[in-house]
Amino acid sequence: MHLSRKERVILSLVCKGLRNSEIASLVGVTERTVKWHMSRLFQQFEVTNRTELAGHVAANETEVSTPQAPPRE
């Protein structure tokens, strides 16, 4: 499964329990953009919510290395 850099960042933050608004602030995007990435992640992992997503990642030991988020300007 191929995840973009931004998807890996968002996935790692979701797995840490952050809310969409917190993720948006840290990554420097809008909350709507986070929701779009979340929707794509749900499709790629074939899950329906963030709890299932985090559980799937943990259960399958999916690598979610945390690349550095782009600097905020």
Side-chain angles (χ1 to χ4, degrees):
M1 171 179 326
H2 175 72
L3 298 178
S4 71
R5 179 177 177 272
K6 186 92 50 172
E7 287 170 334
R8 288 192 314 270
V9 169
I10 290 172
L11 180 57
S12 69
L13 295 172
V14 167
C15 290
K16 291 179 181 178
L18 276 69
R19 296 185 316 258
N20 288 353
S21 59
E22 296 170 314
I23 294 170
S25 178
L26 286 172
V27 177
V29 298
T30 66
E31 192 170 346
R32 183 175 180 169
T33 299
V34 173
K35 289 179 183 180
W36 182 82
H37 283 293
M38 290 297 297
S39 174
R40 297 227 343 115
L41 288 167
F42 290 169
Q43 290 174 350
Q44 290 179 347
F45 283 91
E46 298 178 355
V47 298
T48 58
N49 61 56
R50 64 196 314 119
T51 303
E52 286 181 13
L53 179 61
H56 178 81
V57 169
N60 294 294
E61 299 181 7
T62 303
E63 184 178 332
V64 288
S65 59
T66 310
Q68 292 294 320
R72 295 186 65 193
E73 296 178 19

PDB file of all heavy atoms in Angstrom, residues 25-64:
ATOM      1  N   SER A  25      -3.746  21.874  12.670  1.00  0.00           N
ATOM      2  CA  SER A  25      -2.882  22.917  13.214  1.00  0.00           C
ATOM      3  C   SER A  25      -1.410  22.518  13.144  1.00  0.00           C
ATOM      4  O   SER A  25      -0.560  23.324  12.749  1.00  0.00           O
ATOM      5  CB  SER A  25      -3.285  23.198  14.664  1.00  0.00           C
ATOM      6  OG  SER A  25      -2.443  24.159  15.238  1.00  0.00           O
ATOM      7  N   LEU A  26      -1.102  21.279  13.501  1.00  0.00           N
ATOM      8  CA  LEU A  26       0.284  20.813  13.489  1.00  0.00           C
ATOM      9  C   LEU A  26       0.856  20.698  12.080  1.00  0.00           C
ATOM     10  O   LEU A  26       2.023  21.004  11.848  1.00  0.00           O
ATOM     11  CB  LEU A  26       0.397  19.450  14.176  1.00  0.00           C
ATOM     12  CG  LEU A  26       0.295  19.460  15.692  1.00  0.00           C
ATOM     13  CD1 LEU A  26       0.222  18.036  16.218  1.00  0.00           C
ATOM     14  CD2 LEU A  26       1.499  20.177  16.285  1.00  0.00           C
ATOM     15  N   VAL A  27       0.034  20.235  11.151  1.00  0.00           N
ATOM     16  CA  VAL A  27       0.511  19.981   9.788  1.00  0.00           C
ATOM     17  C   VAL A  27       0.463  21.245   8.932  1.00  0.00           C
ATOM     18  O   VAL A  27       1.171  21.343   7.933  1.00  0.00           O
ATOM     19  CB  VAL A  27      -0.304  18.828   9.154  1.00  0.00           C
ATOM     20  CG1 VAL A  27       0.092  18.577   7.716  1.00  0.00           C
ATOM     21  CG2 VAL A  27      -0.139  17.552   9.965  1.00  0.00           C
ATOM     22  N   GLY A  28      -0.355  22.201   9.328  1.00  0.00           N
ATOM     23  CA  GLY A  28      -0.437  23.445   8.576  1.00  0.00           C
ATOM     24  C   GLY A  28      -1.397  23.385   7.400  1.00  0.00           C
ATOM     25  O   GLY A  28      -1.148  23.988   6.362  1.00  0.00           O
ATOM     26  N   VAL A  29      -2.479  22.623   7.578  1.00  0.00           N
ATOM     27  CA  VAL A  29      -3.515  22.529   6.555  1.00  0.00           C
ATOM     28  C   VAL A  29      -4.862  22.802   7.223  1.00  0.00           C
ATOM     29  O   VAL A  29      -4.941  22.924   8.445  1.00  0.00           O
ATOM     30  CB  VAL A  29      -3.532  21.128   5.880  1.00  0.00           C
ATOM     31  CG1 VAL A  29      -2.225  20.852   5.161  1.00  0.00           C
ATOM     32  CG2 VAL A  29      -3.822  20.029   6.882  1.00  0.00           C
ATOM     33  N   THR A  30      -5.914  22.882   6.422  1.00  0.00           N
ATOM     34  CA  THR A  30      -7.233  23.094   6.998  1.00  0.00           C
ATOM     35  C   THR A  30      -7.778  21.771   7.539  1.00  0.00           C
ATOM     36  O   THR A  30      -7.340  20.684   7.154  1.00  0.00           O
ATOM     37  CB  THR A  30      -8.225  23.632   5.951  1.00  0.00           C
ATOM     38  OG1 THR A  30      -8.445  22.626   4.952  1.00  0.00           O
ATOM     39  CG2 THR A  30      -7.715  24.922   5.302  1.00  0.00           C
ATOM     40  N   GLU A  31      -8.748  21.895   8.419  1.00  0.00           N
ATOM     41  CA  GLU A  31      -9.395  20.696   8.957  1.00  0.00           C
ATOM     42  C   GLU A  31     -10.090  19.919   7.832  1.00  0.00           C
ATOM     43  O   GLU A  31     -10.124  18.694   7.843  1.00  0.00           O
ATOM     44  CB  GLU A  31     -10.397  21.083  10.036  1.00  0.00           C
ATOM     45  CG  GLU A  31     -10.898  19.907  10.828  1.00  0.00           C
ATOM     46  CD  GLU A  31     -11.706  20.303  12.050  1.00  0.00           C
ATOM     47  OE1 GLU A  31     -11.678  21.487  12.450  1.00  0.00           O
ATOM     48  OE2 GLU A  31     -12.382  19.412  12.601  1.00  0.00           O
ATOM     49  N   ARG A  32     -10.602  20.634   6.850  1.00  0.00           N
ATOM     50  CA  ARG A  32     -11.242  19.974   5.712  1.00  0.00           C
ATOM     51  C   ARG A  32     -10.240  19.095   4.946  1.00  0.00           C
ATOM     52  O   ARG A  32     -10.574  18.006   4.499  1.00  0.00           O
ATOM     53  CB  ARG A  32     -11.841  21.023   4.779  1.00  0.00           C
ATOM     54  CG  ARG A  32     -12.580  20.426   3.621  1.00  0.00           C
ATOM     55  CD  ARG A  32     -13.257  21.493   2.812  1.00  0.00           C
ATOM     56  NE  ARG A  32     -13.949  20.862   1.702  1.00  0.00           N
ATOM     57  CZ  ARG A  32     -14.805  21.472   0.938  1.00  0.00           C
ATOM     58  NH1 ARG A  32     -15.103  22.739   1.154  1.00  0.00           N
ATOM     59  NH2 ARG A  32     -15.379  20.850  -0.046  1.00  0.00           N
ATOM     60  N   THR A  33      -9.001  19.566   4.815  1.00  0.00           N
ATOM     61  CA  THR A  33      -7.962  18.789   4.146  1.00  0.00           C
ATOM     62  C   THR A  33      -7.642  17.539   4.951  1.00  0.00           C
ATOM     63  O   THR A  33      -7.462  16.459   4.384  1.00  0.00           O
ATOM     64  CB  THR A  33      -6.695  19.639   3.937  1.00  0.00           C
ATOM     65  OG1 THR A  33      -7.028  20.762   3.116  1.00  0.00           O
ATOM     66  CG2 THR A  33      -5.588  18.835   3.283  1.00  0.00           C
ATOM     67  N   VAL A  34      -7.600  17.663   6.262  1.00  0.00           N
ATOM     68  CA  VAL A  34      -7.368  16.489   7.118  1.00  0.00           C
ATOM     69  C   VAL A  34      -8.497  15.479   6.916  1.00  0.00           C
ATOM     70  O   VAL A  34      -8.250  14.280   6.773  1.00  0.00           O
ATOM     71  CB  VAL A  34      -7.249  16.882   8.607  1.00  0.00           C
ATOM     72  CG1 VAL A  34      -7.189  15.639   9.491  1.00  0.00           C
ATOM     73  CG2 VAL A  34      -6.029  17.755   8.827  1.00  0.00           C
ATOM     74  N   LYS A  35      -9.735  15.959   6.869  1.00  0.00           N
ATOM     75  CA  LYS A  35     -10.876  15.059   6.666  1.00  0.00           C
ATOM     76  C   LYS A  35     -10.762  14.337   5.324  1.00  0.00           C
ATOM     77  O   LYS A  35     -11.091  13.154   5.215  1.00  0.00           O
ATOM     78  CB  LYS A  35     -12.190  15.838   6.746  1.00  0.00           C
ATOM     79  CG  LYS A  35     -12.521  16.286   8.144  1.00  0.00           C
ATOM     80  CD  LYS A  35     -13.814  17.085   8.179  1.00  0.00           C
ATOM     81  CE  LYS A  35     -14.098  17.588   9.574  1.00  0.00           C
ATOM     82  NZ  LYS A  35     -15.348  18.364   9.628  1.00  0.00           N
ATOM     83  N   TRP A  36     -10.299  15.039   4.296  1.00  0.00           N
ATOM     84  CA  TRP A  36     -10.128  14.413   2.984  1.00  0.00           C
ATOM     85  C   TRP A  36      -9.081  13.302   3.068  1.00  0.00           C
ATOM     86  O   TRP A  36      -9.294  12.198   2.564  1.00  0.00           O
ATOM     87  CB  TRP A  36      -9.727  15.465   1.950  1.00  0.00           C
ATOM     88  CG  TRP A  36      -9.582  14.901   0.577  1.00  0.00           C
ATOM     89  CD1 TRP A  36     -10.588  14.663  -0.316  1.00  0.00           C
ATOM     90  CD2 TRP A  36      -8.378  14.474  -0.048  1.00  0.00           C
ATOM     91  NE1 TRP A  36     -10.061  14.121  -1.468  1.00  0.00           N
ATOM     92  CE2 TRP A  36      -8.712  13.989  -1.330  1.00  0.00           C
ATOM     93  CE3 TRP A  36      -7.047  14.453   0.347  1.00  0.00           C
ATOM     94  CZ2 TRP A  36      -7.762  13.493  -2.219  1.00  0.00           C
ATOM     95  CZ3 TRP A  36      -6.102  13.959  -0.537  1.00  0.00           C
ATOM     96  CH2 TRP A  36      -6.467  13.487  -1.794  1.00  0.00           C
ATOM     97  N   HIS A  37      -7.947  13.592   3.723  1.00  0.00           N
ATOM     98  CA  HIS A  37      -6.910  12.574   3.882  1.00  0.00           C
ATOM     99  C   HIS A  37      -7.425  11.398   4.719  1.00  0.00           C
ATOM    100  O   HIS A  37      -7.121  10.245   4.425  1.00  0.00           O
ATOM    101  CB  HIS A  37      -5.653  13.166   4.535  1.00  0.00           C
ATOM    102  CG  HIS A  37      -4.819  13.975   3.594  1.00  0.00           C
ATOM    103  ND1 HIS A  37      -4.143  13.415   2.535  1.00  0.00           N
ATOM    104  CD2 HIS A  37      -4.534  15.299   3.560  1.00  0.00           C
ATOM    105  CE1 HIS A  37      -3.488  14.360   1.881  1.00  0.00           C
ATOM    106  NE2 HIS A  37      -3.717  15.511   2.486  1.00  0.00           N
ATOM    107  N   MET A  38      -8.214  11.697   5.736  1.00  0.00           N
ATOM    108  CA  MET A  38      -8.778  10.632   6.568  1.00  0.00           C
ATOM    109  C   MET A  38      -9.683   9.729   5.731  1.00  0.00           C
ATOM    110  O   MET A  38      -9.631   8.502   5.849  1.00  0.00           O
ATOM    111  CB  MET A  38      -9.572  11.224   7.742  1.00  0.00           C
ATOM    112  CG  MET A  38      -8.713  11.905   8.782  1.00  0.00           C
ATOM    113  SD  MET A  38      -7.566  10.791   9.605  1.00  0.00           S
ATOM    114  CE  MET A  38      -8.710   9.679  10.388  1.00  0.00           C
ATOM    115  N   SER A  39     -10.482  10.323   4.882  1.00  0.00           N
ATOM    116  CA  SER A  39     -11.360   9.548   4.013  1.00  0.00           C
ATOM    117  C   SER A  39     -10.552   8.611   3.118  1.00  0.00           C
ATOM    118  O   SER A  39     -10.899   7.434   2.954  1.00  0.00           O
ATOM    119  CB  SER A  39     -12.209  10.508   3.159  1.00  0.00           C
ATOM    120  OG  SER A  39     -12.974   9.798   2.220  1.00  0.00           O
ATOM    121  N   ARG A  40      -9.461   9.119   2.570  1.00  0.00           N
ATOM    122  CA  ARG A  40      -8.594   8.285   1.723  1.00  0.00           C
ATOM    123  C   ARG A  40      -7.958   7.161   2.533  1.00  0.00           C
ATOM    124  O   ARG A  40      -7.850   6.037   2.066  1.00  0.00           O
ATOM    125  CB  ARG A  40      -7.512   9.144   1.065  1.00  0.00           C
ATOM    126  CG  ARG A  40      -8.082  10.177   0.136  1.00  0.00           C
ATOM    127  CD  ARG A  40      -7.447  10.316  -1.211  1.00  0.00           C
ATOM    128  NE  ARG A  40      -6.140   9.756  -1.397  1.00  0.00           N
ATOM    129  CZ  ARG A  40      -5.899   8.740  -2.237  1.00  0.00           C
ATOM    130  NH1 ARG A  40      -6.877   8.190  -2.911  1.00  0.00           N
ATOM    131  NH2 ARG A  40      -4.672   8.293  -2.399  1.00  0.00           N
ATOM    132  N   LEU A  41      -7.529   7.465   3.752  1.00  0.00           N
ATOM    133  CA  LEU A  41      -6.938   6.439   4.608  1.00  0.00           C
ATOM    134  C   LEU A  41      -7.959   5.356   4.943  1.00  0.00           C
ATOM    135  O   LEU A  41      -7.644   4.168   4.930  1.00  0.00           O
ATOM    136  CB  LEU A  41      -6.375   7.063   5.891  1.00  0.00           C
ATOM    137  CG  LEU A  41      -5.105   7.885   5.711  1.00  0.00           C
ATOM    138  CD1 LEU A  41      -4.819   8.713   6.961  1.00  0.00           C
ATOM    139  CD2 LEU A  41      -3.911   6.980   5.377  1.00  0.00           C
ATOM    140  N   PHE A  42      -9.197   5.764   5.243  1.00  0.00           N
ATOM    141  CA  PHE A  42     -10.252   4.782   5.525  1.00  0.00           C
ATOM    142  C   PHE A  42     -10.437   3.844   4.336  1.00  0.00           C
ATOM    143  O   PHE A  42     -10.569   2.635   4.506  1.00  0.00           O
ATOM    144  CB  PHE A  42     -11.583   5.472   5.831  1.00  0.00           C
ATOM    145  CG  PHE A  42     -11.638   6.214   7.143  1.00  0.00           C
ATOM    146  CD1 PHE A  42     -12.694   7.058   7.409  1.00  0.00           C
ATOM    147  CD2 PHE A  42     -10.649   6.080   8.101  1.00  0.00           C
ATOM    148  CE1 PHE A  42     -12.778   7.743   8.615  1.00  0.00           C
ATOM    149  CE2 PHE A  42     -10.714   6.770   9.317  1.00  0.00           C
ATOM    150  CZ  PHE A  42     -11.788   7.603   9.565  1.00  0.00           C
ATOM    151  N   GLN A  43     -10.445   4.401   3.129  1.00  0.00           N
ATOM    152  CA  GLN A  43     -10.607   3.581   1.929  1.00  0.00           C
ATOM    153  C   GLN A  43      -9.426   2.637   1.748  1.00  0.00           C
ATOM    154  O   GLN A  43      -9.610   1.449   1.473  1.00  0.00           O
ATOM    155  CB  GLN A  43     -10.743   4.465   0.690  1.00  0.00           C
ATOM    156  CG  GLN A  43     -12.034   5.218   0.608  1.00  0.00           C
ATOM    157  CD  GLN A  43     -12.047   6.182  -0.569  1.00  0.00           C
ATOM    158  OE1 GLN A  43     -11.043   6.423  -1.228  1.00  0.00           O
ATOM    159  NE2 GLN A  43     -13.216   6.749  -0.837  1.00  0.00           N
ATOM    160  N   GLN A  44      -8.226   3.151   1.896  1.00  0.00           N
ATOM    161  CA  GLN A  44      -7.035   2.337   1.670  1.00  0.00           C
ATOM    162  C   GLN A  44      -6.914   1.207   2.684  1.00  0.00           C
ATOM    163  O   GLN A  44      -6.470   0.114   2.337  1.00  0.00           O
ATOM    164  CB  GLN A  44      -5.779   3.208   1.693  1.00  0.00           C
ATOM    165  CG  GLN A  44      -5.680   4.120   0.502  1.00  0.00           C
ATOM    166  CD  GLN A  44      -4.441   4.998   0.541  1.00  0.00           C
ATOM    167  OE1 GLN A  44      -3.759   5.108   1.554  1.00  0.00           O
ATOM    168  NE2 GLN A  44      -4.148   5.641  -0.570  1.00  0.00           N
ATOM    169  N   PHE A  45      -7.296   1.463   3.935  1.00  0.00           N
ATOM    170  CA  PHE A  45      -7.186   0.439   4.973  1.00  0.00           C
ATOM    171  C   PHE A  45      -8.476  -0.357   5.139  1.00  0.00           C
ATOM    172  O   PHE A  45      -8.556  -1.253   5.985  1.00  0.00           O
ATOM    173  CB  PHE A  45      -6.786   1.077   6.306  1.00  0.00           C
ATOM    174  CG  PHE A  45      -5.330   1.439   6.377  1.00  0.00           C
ATOM    175  CD1 PHE A  45      -4.888   2.700   5.979  1.00  0.00           C
ATOM    176  CD2 PHE A  45      -4.393   0.526   6.822  1.00  0.00           C
ATOM    177  CE1 PHE A  45      -3.545   3.032   6.038  1.00  0.00           C
ATOM    178  CE2 PHE A  45      -3.042   0.847   6.886  1.00  0.00           C
ATOM    179  CZ  PHE A  45      -2.617   2.108   6.488  1.00  0.00           C
ATOM    180  N   GLU A  46      -9.501   0.008   4.366  1.00  0.00           N
ATOM    181  CA  GLU A  46     -10.803  -0.663   4.401  1.00  0.00           C
ATOM    182  C   GLU A  46     -11.394  -0.673   5.805  1.00  0.00           C
ATOM    183  O   GLU A  46     -11.790  -1.712   6.348  1.00  0.00           O
ATOM    184  CB  GLU A  46     -10.695  -2.078   3.830  1.00  0.00           C
ATOM    185  CG  GLU A  46     -10.255  -2.091   2.378  1.00  0.00           C
ATOM    186  CD  GLU A  46     -10.101  -3.480   1.790  1.00  0.00           C
ATOM    187  OE1 GLU A  46     -10.235  -4.478   2.529  1.00  0.00           O
ATOM    188  OE2 GLU A  46      -9.835  -3.558   0.578  1.00  0.00           O
ATOM    189  N   VAL A  47     -11.448   0.517   6.413  1.00  0.00           N
ATOM    190  CA  VAL A  47     -12.043   0.708   7.724  1.00  0.00           C
ATOM    191  C   VAL A  47     -13.066   1.836   7.634  1.00  0.00           C
ATOM    192  O   VAL A  47     -13.120   2.539   6.624  1.00  0.00           O
ATOM    193  CB  VAL A  47     -10.973   1.037   8.801  1.00  0.00           C
ATOM    194  CG1 VAL A  47      -9.987  -0.112   8.957  1.00  0.00           C
ATOM    195  CG2 VAL A  47     -10.230   2.325   8.472  1.00  0.00           C
ATOM    196  N   THR A  48     -13.855   2.002   8.697  1.00  0.00           N
ATOM    197  CA  THR A  48     -14.903   3.017   8.648  1.00  0.00           C
ATOM    198  C   THR A  48     -14.734   4.140   9.660  1.00  0.00           C
ATOM    199  O   THR A  48     -15.485   5.103   9.636  1.00  0.00           O
ATOM    200  CB  THR A  48     -16.292   2.379   8.864  1.00  0.00           C
ATOM    201  OG1 THR A  48     -16.289   1.707  10.128  1.00  0.00           O
ATOM    202  CG2 THR A  48     -16.631   1.404   7.746  1.00  0.00           C
ATOM    203  N   ASN A  49     -13.756   4.015  10.567  1.00  0.00           N
ATOM    204  CA  ASN A  49     -13.541   5.092  11.527  1.00  0.00           C
ATOM    205  C   ASN A  49     -12.093   5.088  12.024  1.00  0.00           C
ATOM    206  O   ASN A  49     -11.340   4.157  11.775  1.00  0.00           O
ATOM    207  CB  ASN A  49     -14.537   5.016  12.697  1.00  0.00           C
ATOM    208  CG  ASN A  49     -14.417   3.727  13.471  1.00  0.00           C
ATOM    209  OD1 ASN A  49     -13.346   3.381  13.967  1.00  0.00           O
ATOM    210  ND2 ASN A  49     -15.530   3.002  13.588  1.00  0.00           N
ATOM    211  N   ARG A  50     -11.730   6.132  12.750  1.00  0.00           N
ATOM    212  CA  ARG A  50     -10.342   6.306  13.172  1.00  0.00           C
ATOM    213  C   ARG A  50      -9.920   5.265  14.206  1.00  0.00           C
ATOM    214  O   ARG A  50      -8.760   4.895  14.263  1.00  0.00           O
ATOM    215  CB  ARG A  50     -10.094   7.732  13.644  1.00  0.00           C
ATOM    216  CG  ARG A  50     -10.852   8.131  14.848  1.00  0.00           C
ATOM    217  CD  ARG A  50     -10.930   9.636  15.110  1.00  0.00           C
ATOM    218  NE  ARG A  50      -9.710  10.376  14.994  1.00  0.00           N
ATOM    219  CZ  ARG A  50      -9.508  11.370  14.125  1.00  0.00           C
ATOM    220  NH1 ARG A  50     -10.473  11.750  13.315  1.00  0.00           N
ATOM    221  NH2 ARG A  50      -8.362  12.003  14.073  1.00  0.00           N
ATOM    222  N   THR A  51     -10.866   4.772  15.003  1.00  0.00           N
ATOM    223  CA  THR A  51     -10.532   3.733  15.973  1.00  0.00           C
ATOM    224  C   THR A  51     -10.141   2.452  15.256  1.00  0.00           C
ATOM    225  O   THR A  51      -9.144   1.808  15.602  1.00  0.00           O
ATOM    226  CB  THR A  51     -11.716   3.482  16.927  1.00  0.00           C
ATOM    227  OG1 THR A  51     -12.060   4.718  17.571  1.00  0.00           O
ATOM    228  CG2 THR A  51     -11.377   2.440  17.964  1.00  0.00           C
ATOM    229  N   GLU A  52     -10.916   2.073  14.243  1.00  0.00           N
ATOM    230  CA  GLU A  52     -10.578   0.892  13.441  1.00  0.00           C
ATOM    231  C   GLU A  52      -9.249   1.093  12.729  1.00  0.00           C
ATOM    232  O   GLU A  52      -8.451   0.167  12.622  1.00  0.00           O
ATOM    233  CB  GLU A  52     -11.665   0.614  12.397  1.00  0.00           C
ATOM    234  CG  GLU A  52     -12.935   0.042  12.958  1.00  0.00           C
ATOM    235  CD  GLU A  52     -13.959  -0.227  11.863  1.00  0.00           C
ATOM    236  OE1 GLU A  52     -13.609  -0.194  10.654  1.00  0.00           O
ATOM    237  OE2 GLU A  52     -15.116  -0.464  12.209  1.00  0.00           O
ATOM    238  N   LEU A  53      -9.028   2.307  12.242  1.00  0.00           N
ATOM    239  CA  LEU A  53      -7.786   2.613  11.533  1.00  0.00           C
ATOM    240  C   LEU A  53      -6.585   2.415  12.452  1.00  0.00           C
ATOM    241  O   LEU A  53      -5.638   1.708  12.107  1.00  0.00           O
ATOM    242  CB  LEU A  53      -7.822   4.046  10.998  1.00  0.00           C
ATOM    243  CG  LEU A  53      -6.599   4.537  10.242  1.00  0.00           C
ATOM    244  CD1 LEU A  53      -6.351   3.691   8.993  1.00  0.00           C
ATOM    245  CD2 LEU A  53      -6.765   6.002   9.872  1.00  0.00           C
ATOM    246  N   ALA A  54      -6.629   3.000  13.637  1.00  0.00           N
ATOM    247  CA  ALA A  54      -5.526   2.866  14.589  1.00  0.00           C
ATOM    248  C   ALA A  54      -5.365   1.408  15.017  1.00  0.00           C
ATOM    249  O   ALA A  54      -4.238   0.910  15.140  1.00  0.00           O
ATOM    250  CB  ALA A  54      -5.763   3.757  15.801  1.00  0.00           C
ATOM    251  N   GLY A  55      -6.473   0.709  15.218  1.00  0.00           N
ATOM    252  CA  GLY A  55      -6.418  -0.702  15.589  1.00  0.00           C
ATOM    253  C   GLY A  55      -5.792  -1.547  14.503  1.00  0.00           C
ATOM    254  O   GLY A  55      -4.998  -2.453  14.774  1.00  0.00           O
ATOM    255  N   HIS A  56      -6.149  -1.266  13.256  1.00  0.00           N
ATOM    256  CA  HIS A  56      -5.585  -2.004  12.122  1.00  0.00           C
ATOM    257  C   HIS A  56      -4.077  -1.785  12.043  1.00  0.00           C
ATOM    258  O   HIS A  56      -3.321  -2.728  11.837  1.00  0.00           O
ATOM    259  CB  HIS A  56      -6.254  -1.568  10.822  1.00  0.00           C
ATOM    260  CG  HIS A  56      -5.706  -2.231   9.608  1.00  0.00           C
ATOM    261  ND1 HIS A  56      -6.093  -3.491   9.230  1.00  0.00           N
ATOM    262  CD2 HIS A  56      -4.785  -1.822   8.701  1.00  0.00           C
ATOM    263  CE1 HIS A  56      -5.429  -3.829   8.131  1.00  0.00           C
ATOM    264  NE2 HIS A  56      -4.633  -2.828   7.793  1.00  0.00           N
ATOM    265  N   VAL A  57      -3.670  -0.549  12.216  1.00  0.00           N
ATOM    266  CA  VAL A  57      -2.248  -0.221  12.156  1.00  0.00           C
ATOM    267  C   VAL A  57      -1.503  -0.963  13.266  1.00  0.00           C
ATOM    268  O   VAL A  57      -0.460  -1.574  13.032  1.00  0.00           O
ATOM    269  CB  VAL A  57      -2.027   1.304  12.259  1.00  0.00           C
ATOM    270  CG1 VAL A  57      -0.571   1.643  12.479  1.00  0.00           C
ATOM    271  CG2 VAL A  57      -2.544   1.996  11.001  1.00  0.00           C
ATOM    272  N   ALA A  58      -2.055  -0.928  14.475  1.00  0.00           N
ATOM    273  CA  ALA A  58      -1.410  -1.592  15.606  1.00  0.00           C
ATOM    274  C   ALA A  58      -1.384  -3.107  15.424  1.00  0.00           C
ATOM    275  O   ALA A  58      -0.358  -3.752  15.657  1.00  0.00           O
ATOM    276  CB  ALA A  58      -2.126  -1.231  16.898  1.00  0.00           C
ATOM    277  N   ALA A  59      -2.496  -3.676  14.986  1.00  0.00           N
ATOM    278  CA  ALA A  59      -2.599  -5.130  14.843  1.00  0.00           C
ATOM    279  C   ALA A  59      -1.692  -5.672  13.750  1.00  0.00           C
ATOM    280  O   ALA A  59      -1.168  -6.779  13.859  1.00  0.00           O
ATOM    281  CB  ALA A  59      -4.045  -5.519  14.559  1.00  0.00           C
ATOM    282  N   ASN A  60      -1.505  -4.883  12.712  1.00  0.00           N
ATOM    283  CA  ASN A  60      -0.707  -5.345  11.579  1.00  0.00           C
ATOM    284  C   ASN A  60       0.703  -4.784  11.589  1.00  0.00           C
ATOM    285  O   ASN A  60       1.447  -4.975  10.639  1.00  0.00           O
ATOM    286  CB  ASN A  60      -1.410  -4.993  10.265  1.00  0.00           C
ATOM    287  CG  ASN A  60      -2.694  -5.757  10.120  1.00  0.00           C
ATOM    288  OD1 ASN A  60      -2.680  -6.974   9.988  1.00  0.00           O
ATOM    289  ND2 ASN A  60      -3.816  -5.060  10.195  1.00  0.00           N
ATOM    290  N   GLU A  61       1.014  -4.063  12.656  1.00  0.00           N
ATOM    291  CA  GLU A  61       2.335  -3.464  12.792  1.00  0.00           C
ATOM    292  C   GLU A  61       2.735  -2.695  11.537  1.00  0.00           C
ATOM    293  O   GLU A  61       3.860  -2.753  11.078  1.00  0.00           O
ATOM    294  CB  GLU A  61       3.381  -4.516  13.147  1.00  0.00           C
ATOM    295  CG  GLU A  61       3.096  -5.190  14.466  1.00  0.00           C
ATOM    296  CD  GLU A  61       4.133  -6.226  14.860  1.00  0.00           C
ATOM    297  OE1 GLU A  61       5.164  -6.335  14.174  1.00  0.00           O
ATOM    298  OE2 GLU A  61       3.902  -6.910  15.847  1.00  0.00           O
ATOM    299  N   THR A  62       1.743  -2.001  10.978  1.00  0.00           N
ATOM    300  CA  THR A  62       1.989  -1.171   9.810  1.00  0.00           C
ATOM    301  C   THR A  62       2.949  -0.060  10.199  1.00  0.00           C
ATOM    302  O   THR A  62       2.775   0.603  11.214  1.00  0.00           O
ATOM    303  CB  THR A  62       0.667  -0.552   9.297  1.00  0.00           C
ATOM    304  OG1 THR A  62      -0.247  -1.609   9.015  1.00  0.00           O
ATOM    305  CG2 THR A  62       0.893   0.286   8.054  1.00  0.00           C
ATOM    306  N   GLU A  63       3.961   0.119   9.383  1.00  0.00           N
ATOM    307  CA  GLU A  63       4.950   1.152   9.676  1.00  0.00           C
ATOM    308  C   GLU A  63       4.348   2.521   9.409  1.00  0.00           C
ATOM    309  O   GLU A  63       3.879   2.808   8.314  1.00  0.00           O
ATOM    310  CB  GLU A  63       6.191   0.966   8.817  1.00  0.00           C
ATOM    311  CG  GLU A  63       7.274   1.955   9.142  1.00  0.00           C
ATOM    312  CD  GLU A  63       8.522   1.726   8.308  1.00  0.00           C
ATOM    313  OE1 GLU A  63       8.758   0.584   7.899  1.00  0.00           O
ATOM    314  OE2 GLU A  63       9.231   2.708   8.076  1.00  0.00           O
ATOM    315  N   VAL A  64       4.344   3.335  10.420  1.00  0.00           N
ATOM    316  CA  VAL A  64       3.858   4.704  10.268  1.00  0.00           C
ATOM    317  C   VAL A  64       4.927   5.659  10.779  1.00  0.00           C
ATOM    318  O   VAL A  64       4.709   6.469  11.646  1.00  0.00           O
ATOM    319  CB  VAL A  64       2.518   4.959  10.994  1.00  0.00           C
ATOM    320  CG1 VAL A  64       1.382   4.293  10.288  1.00  0.00           C
ATOM    321  CG2 VAL A  64       2.589   4.568  12.445  1.00  0.00           C
TER     322      VAL A  64
END
